Amino acid sequence: EAQVTQNPRYLITVTGKKLTVTCSQNMNHEYMSWYRQDPGLGLRQIYYSMNVEVTDKGDVPEGYKVSRKEKRNFPLILESPSPNQTSLYFCASRPGQGAGEQYFGPGTRLTVT
Amino acid sequence: SQKIEQNSEALNIQEGKTATLTCNYTNYSPAYLQWYRQDPGRGPVFLLLIRENEKEKRKERLKVTFDTTLKQSLFHITASQPADSATYLCALPPGGYNKLIFGAGTRLAVHP
């Protein structure tokens, strides 16, 4: 089944404790992206990647890191999480760099206390 | 900065009626616009894409229009069903194809 998977689905952590949210897609997509979703603000793009070793900032990259060492994986790293990073996170992928539908993962609900 | 506005109030309609959702944007001329459906606790699911040179796009009971002069897209669901109840998001690229910005979404509730 073609899908985007994220792990963990739920995470409660404390301020300053480094964490990684994994994202993997099995559709051989070139483009991958991370979003956060907050009430009233909608989805905001954190980082995106156009291919292996090619990443760029979205609208809200502060406090986040990403890497793209393999085509299928695009982990999101929070080196020192803070309470304002409490949010619902989505990973997405699409076939190429042009216009096209994005396939979203199931989401990771992160709480930083 | 690029801004997308969707009606923040929920839209309540009766089963069988046509639901019309609005997406307005400012400060840019996007090459295309997309609509997604999101159910509670789940990731968005792509529905339709309409390009700047297209006035209208249809898919089964769904219809999207794109007025680049008004900077507005309308999303219609005809013969609505309770199963259509969800939040609907519009999205567009602020420049090029790599970034995508989303509206906050409009929640649709279809009552039997």
Side-chain angles (χ1 to χ4, degrees), chain B residues 11-81:
Chain B
L11 178 63
N12 291 281
I13 65 169
Q14 287 298 120
E15 183 175 7
K17 300 292 186 184
T18 296
T20 298
L21 286 70
T22 304
C23 176
N24 295 301
Y25 59 93
T26 59
N27 298 337
Y28 192 66
S29 299
Y32 63 89
L33 189 145
Q34 298 179 338
W35 284 88
Y36 290 80
R37 168 185 172 139
Q38 186 174 24
D39 291 289
R42 306 191 72 169
V45 175
F46 173 82
L47 296 174
L48 282 167
L49 179 151
I50 185 165
R51 298 183 185 275
E52 60 181 335
N53 60 350
E54 298 175 312
K55 294 290 186 190
E56 182 180 297
K57 202 83 168 278
R58 291 175 186 262
K59 179 181 176 183
E60 298 173 351
R61 294 184 296 110
L62 308 180
K63 184 179 85 171
V64 172
T65 63
F66 194 10
D67 189 325
T68 56
T69 301
L70 291 178
K71 294 188 180 294
Q72 181 182 77
S73 175
L74 298 179
F75 178 80
H76 307 272
I77 305 176
T78 58
S80 60
Q81 305 165 0

Side-chain angles (χ1 to χ4, degrees), chain A residues 16-27:
Chain A
K17 186 177 181 181
K18 180 179 178 180
L19 67 91
T20 299
V21 183
T22 65
C23 173
S24 183
Q25 49 92 7
N26 62 0
M27 296 169 278

Side-chain angles (χ1 to χ4, degrees), chain A residues 40-86:
Chain A
L41 295 178
L43 283 160
R44 292 181 292 167
Q45 195 169 28
I46 303 171
Y47 270 95
Y48 61 92
S49 169
M50 293 170 286
N51 214 323
V52 175
E53 303 292 2
V54 182
T55 63
D56 206 348
K57 296 176 181 179
D59 290 325
V60 288
E62 296 77 20
Y64 304 95
K65 284 177 56 178
V66 293
S67 68
R68 187 93 180 271
K69 292 183 169 56
E70 303 169 287
K71 197 171 187 178
R72 63 182 294 127
N73 297 323
F74 190 43
L76 179 69
I77 303 157
L78 284 73
E79 294 268 2
S80 183
S82 61
N84 64 12
Q85 293 178 298
T86 292

